[in-house]
Structure formats: structure tokens, C-alpha cells
């Protein structure tokens, strides 16, 4: 069966350090892998999208990698700040709109 | 305008009530989505409309009935719901269509539904 896993339920890091979040999937061939941020009681906010033929994408302090052989994506936040504290969701999407979200990783950045 | 709006923000209904959730976007997106999210769980896809036609129904019970009256509006009609249907209902849109199918989704703030 198709499965998507985010390895850490919660991640605590010190301000200024790099946070690295992991997303693994099985039995799935996504066209896109996306990362979203969700704050309590709010809808997810899109951060980055990476296509199946891309290895890496960057946006400001964010970087995502995509390894379709390992079936894994890594999401990095460099120079983390307390304002980065939130739940981060990875999502796989086929070209036909079907979207599956991982359970999320709650990131806590301590000042 | 890069906003997806949802009304109402909160809804409390009894199991015999009929109510509707509304979603609107003016970004020219041609794909619109309904998700259900329970506390501390990820969003679960319910329905997708593409060019106002139902593209995906994830085996959702018939007490949930989606409707897409035009390219900017998406409704979710609710009837005879159960207490376990209490959740945050999220609407999203994406550019959609052709080779641009799928892609980044813009989410609304959600409707917090409580079924008594």
C-alpha cells in the first residue's frame, strides 16, 4: 500500500542552527513533492515544490532535495528562528491531483 | 488576490441538520479541493474539481455532497452528519489543467465543524 512518512514527530533545535526534516514514501510515483507549513488552527501554507526530475530547490533560507531512487525528500531551514516554529507537512501529488500528506513534523526553535 | 476564503469560520450542527460550507478564490485557478483535517492529523483529500467537473472522490460518504457552480466557487453540502465528522474542513485551489495539473495549492483558513 502507498505510504508517506515523516520520520520525526517533533524536532527541537537551537536558534541559528539548521533544521532538517525527512519525508520518505513507498509504493508511490509522485509527479510533485511539496512542503507546507501549518500553524495551529490555520490552513497549510505552501513553501516549496520539487518535480520528479529535479534534485534540489532553494528559496531564501529553505532548501528541499528529492531522491526518487531512495524515495526520500529532505527539507532544510538554515539559520532557524523562533518564528519558524510550526508543523511542516510534506505532500506527494500525482499529475492527476491526488494528494497525500505526511503526518507532519512539529518544529520547535528555541531562542 | 492570492487568497482563498471560506465561510463560515465555525459551524455547529445537529445530526439532522442540512448546512453548506463555501469556498471562493479569484486567482483563476481551475482545480479546487476539499480536505478534512482531524486534530493532530494531516489533511485528508476528499474531493477535487477540475474545470468545474468532479475529478476525484476519495470514497467519501454521501452525506457529504460537493458542488462547483463556477470556476471561482466550491461548496460542500452537509446532511445527516455524525459526531465523528467533526473536524477542520479545508478548501484549496491550484492552477490545474493540462501539463500544469496539480502543483502548489493555496489553502483557505478552514471551517471548524462540530456535529452534536
Amino acid at each position: 500500500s502507498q505510504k508517506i512518512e515523516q520520520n520525526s514527530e517533533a524536532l527541537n533545535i537551537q536558534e541559528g542552527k539548521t533544521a532538517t526534516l525527512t519525508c520518505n514514501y513507498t509504493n508511490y510515483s509522485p509527479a510533485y513533492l511539496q512542503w507546507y507549513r501549518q500553524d495551529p488552527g490555520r490552513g497549510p501554507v505552501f513553501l516549496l515544490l520539487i518535480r520528479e526530475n529535479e534534485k534540489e530547490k532553494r528559496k531564501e533560507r529553505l532548501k528541499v532535495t528529492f531522491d526518487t531512487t531512495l524515495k526520500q525528500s529532505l527539507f532544510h531551514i538554515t539559520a532557524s528562528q523562533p518564528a519558524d516554529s510550526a508543523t511542516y507537512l510534506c505532500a506527494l501529488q500525482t499529475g492527476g491531483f491526488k494528494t497525500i500528506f505526511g503526518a507532519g513534523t512539529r518544529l520547535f526553535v528555541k531562542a | 488576490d492570492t487568497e482563498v476564503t471560506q465561510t463560515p469560520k465555525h459551524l455547529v450542527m445537529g445530526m439532522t441538520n442540512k448546512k453548506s460550507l463555501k469556498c471562493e478564490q479569484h486567482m483563476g485557478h481551475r482545480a479546487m479541493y476539499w480536505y478534512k483535517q482531524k486534530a493532530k492529523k494531516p489533511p485528508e483529500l476528499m474531493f477535487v474539481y477540475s474545470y468545474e467537473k468532479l475529478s476525484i472522490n476519495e470514497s467519501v460518504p454521501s452525506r457529504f455532497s460537493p458542488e462547483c457552480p463556477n470556476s471561482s466557487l466550491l461548496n460542500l453540502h452537509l446532511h445527516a452528519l455524525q459526531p465523528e465528522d467533526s473536524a477542520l474542513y479545508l478548501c484549496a485551489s491550484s492552477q490545474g489543467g493540462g501539463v500544469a495539473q496539480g502543483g502548489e495549492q493555496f489553502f483557505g483558513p478552514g471551517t471548524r465543524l462540530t456535529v452534536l
Side-chain angles (χ1 to χ4, degrees), chain A residues 93 95-98, chain B residues 25 28-34 45 47-57 66-74 92-102:
Chain A
Q93 192 173 42
F97 303 111
K98 185 175 172 69
Chain B
Q25 57 90 13
H29 289 170
R30 300 316 300 266
M32 295 186 78
Y33 309 68
W34 280 117
L45 185 65
F47 303 104
V48 181
Y49 274 82
S50 173
Y51 289 90
E52 294 109 72
K53 287 187 168 41
L54 186 63
S55 177
I56 294 178
N57 176 344
E67 179 197 19
C68 190
N70 61 54
S71 60
S72 300
L73 290 173
L74 186 66
S93 69
S94 67
Q95 191 173 355
V99 296
Q101 275 193 4

Side-chain angles (χ1 to χ4, degrees), chain B residues 17 20 29 44 47 75 84 96 112:
Chain B
N17 291 157
S20 296
H29 289 170
E44 290 180 18
F47 303 104
N75 298 320
E84 59 265 28
R112 175 74 60 190

Side-chain angles (χ1 to χ4, degrees), chain A residues 24-36:
Chain A
N24 293 290
Y25 61 93
T26 57
N27 297 328
Y28 204 54
S29 295
Y32 306 99
L33 188 143
Q34 303 172 37
W35 285 88
Y36 290 82

Side-chain angles (χ1 to χ4, degrees), chain A residues 12-61:
Chain A
N12 291 280
I13 63 166
Q14 200 67 32
E15 183 177 10
K17 300 292 187 187
T18 296
T20 299
L21 286 63
T22 305
C23 178
N24 293 290
Y25 61 93
T26 57
N27 297 328
Y28 204 54
S29 295
Y32 306 99
L33 188 143
Q34 303 172 37
W35 285 88
Y36 290 82
R37 169 185 173 140
Q38 188 171 26
D39 292 287
R42 295 174 168 255
V45 174
F46 172 79
L47 296 174
L48 279 170
L49 175 152
I50 189 164
R51 292 179 170 77
E52 57 184 333
N53 60 350
E54 296 175 322
K55 298 286 187 193
E56 183 179 299
K57 271 278 185 72
R58 290 175 186 261
K59 180 182 172 183
E60 297 171 354
R61 294 186 295 114

Side-chain angles (χ1 to χ4, degrees), chain B:
Chain B
D1 183 1
T2 58
E3 194 180 19
V4 175
T5 58
Q6 290 187 244
T7 55
K9 283 189 169 47
H10 301 275
L11 179 62
V12 179
M13 60 187 289
M15 289 190 283
T16 58
N17 291 157
K18 281 186 183 180
K19 296 286 185 185
S20 296
L21 309 184
K22 294 187 186 303
C23 173
E24 192 166 359
Q25 57 90 13
H26 295 287
M27 293 177 278
H29 289 170
R30 300 316 300 266
M32 295 186 78
Y33 309 68
W34 280 117
Y35 289 87
K36 173 182 177 179
Q37 187 174 27
K38 302 280 270 185
K40 298 192 187 304
K41 297 289 186 186
E44 290 180 18
L45 185 65
M46 300 173 71
F47 303 104
V48 181
Y49 274 82
S50 173
Y51 289 90
E52 294 109 72
K53 287 187 168 41
L54 186 63
S55 177
I56 294 178
N57 176 344
E58 291 287 50
S59 303
V60 178
S62 59
R63 58 186 184 268
F64 295 91
S65 175
E67 179 197 19
C68 190
N70 61 54
S71 60
S72 300
L73 290 173
L74 186 66
N75 298 320
L76 186 63
H77 303 297
L78 314 172
H79 175 53
L81 293 193
Q82 304 296 310
E84 59 265 28
D85 296 321
S86 298
L88 182 68
Y89 287 85
L90 294 162
C91 172
S93 69
S94 67
Q95 191 173 355
V99 296
Q101 275 193 4
E104 107 182 58
Q105 294 178 37
F106 290 77
F107 282 82
T111 293
R112 175 74 60 190
L113 174 68
T114 302
V115 182
L116 301 176

Side-chain angles (χ1 to χ4, degrees), chain A residues 73-86:
Chain A
S73 175
L74 299 179
F75 178 75
H76 307 272
I77 305 174
T78 58
S80 58
Q81 304 164 1
D84 295 327
S85 299

